[in-house]
Amino acid sequence: MKIGELARETGCTVETIRYYEKVGLLPKAMRSQENNYRFYNQKHLDLLLFIRRCRTLAMTHEEIQQLLQAREEPDNSCVSINELIAEHLEHVRARIEELQALESQLEILGNECHSVHAARDCGILKKLDEADNSDWQIPKTSNSHVEGSRCHHKKS
Amino acid sequence: MKIGELARETGCTVETIRYYEKVGLLPKAMRSQENNYRFYNQKHLDLLLFIRRCRTLAMTHEEIQQLLQAREEPDNSCVSINELIAEHLEHVRARIEELQALESQLEILGNECHSVHAARDCGILKKLDEADNSDWQIPKTSNSHVEGSRCHHKKS
DNA sequence: TAAACACCCTGAAGTCACTTTAGGGTCAAC
DNA sequence: GTTGACCCTAAAGTGACTTCAGGGTGTTTA
């Protein structure tokens, strides 16, 4: 099948499919001789579905590569797979906690302004402007890579 | 004060301060004549603290610009401020819900593998590879811009 | 036959909010 | 003079796409 069909089958865009091929996440497609169009078989469809499912789980490309590698080595132990999923789950949980703290802060901030008046009297602006920094501890961020994290995995 | 001092006062990096000046979020600093170093006064310190507090609340630069604008117009109504904070809070809540759904999915997936064995028998891989797509509805994503969202504000 | 439309291709740049790299100057202390 | 901390600029990198720019292919219709 051609790329448009693959895109529709997997709920993905053709641009993303080309991107995945470019970054090596998806193997290169066969090409037609007359017009160089990409052609995909069942294996590519399976792989792309796998990748998209991992993406819906907010896994990074690196994590996905690791799972794909494990999939290609069926005799190896599945310990690393279990660990990867468990660690990813911890990242997600950490991010949830961060956002819940943020939610609380925003609720408190929103309550600083009780009615509509001039901006000069707005409790929200006053709070954001206050000299006292004690209510504004910079939150200690997690190492979660899950989107929204303030820390990316180091590549060193 | 010089940029390093401002950075330490605000828990920010010099690179980020320069970046904020470049993108126009922070007004340009005065410069010394002999070596072109940036010099900052109390107003800059106040502004940067305001900006950093907004960033800890995961507000976008655009949102921060809006609040800074409101701050410069003290006679205007604070309705827009209230609305901005409320909308942002809704985005954060939406993102929390998305992540909680993701957490559930990961828990379920993790439970597909009950003990360590060969990758070929791993329930996690099987689940990610299954032909049946019904457990893999692509989640309907929110329009939340809060980091981790899959949708950015359109600029059109 | 030309136009319209849907689909395909490539490379490059843009998105967001920083962060790092590359290369160079300034200042103070030893 | 050397060393180390600090300052400067421009540009590229980060991650995962997404859009832009420019062009080709195939089918249908007037």
Side-chain angles (χ1 to χ4, degrees), chain B residues 116-154:
Chain B
V116 177
H117 32 218
R120 74 165 56 81
D121 300 315
C122 180
I124 291 173
L125 282 187
K126 284 177 187 246
K127 188 69 183 173
L128 289 168
D129 255 326
E130 72 188 354
D132 179 21
N133 220 26
S134 58
D135 282 353
W136 290 102
Q137 301 281 4
I138 305 293
K140 178 151 179 66
T141 55
S142 70
N143 287 320
S144 171
H145 71 268
V146 176
E147 293 177 343
S149 165
R150 296 203 169 89
C151 173
H152 290 281
H153 285 302
K154 307 302 183 200

Side-chain angles (χ1 to χ4, degrees), chain B residues 65-84:
Chain B
Q65 288 279 25
Q66 286 174 40
L67 288 181
L68 290 173
Q69 179 71 16
R71 193 169 171 273
E72 295 301 315
E73 297 166 357
D75 292 324
N76 284 4
S77 160
C78 71
V79 165
S80 61
I81 300 169
N82 281 277
E83 287 176 351
L84 188 154

Side-chain angles (χ1 to χ4, degrees), chain B residues 79-104:
Chain B
V79 165
S80 61
I81 300 169
N82 281 277
E83 287 176 351
L84 188 154
I85 297 295
E87 190 180 340
H88 185 54
L89 180 56
E90 287 313 304
H91 285 152
V92 171
R93 287 192 173 127
R95 183 59 184 149
I96 288 172
E97 283 184 29
E98 283 176 21
L99 286 178
Q100 283 167 340
L102 177 49
E103 181 186 26
S104 298

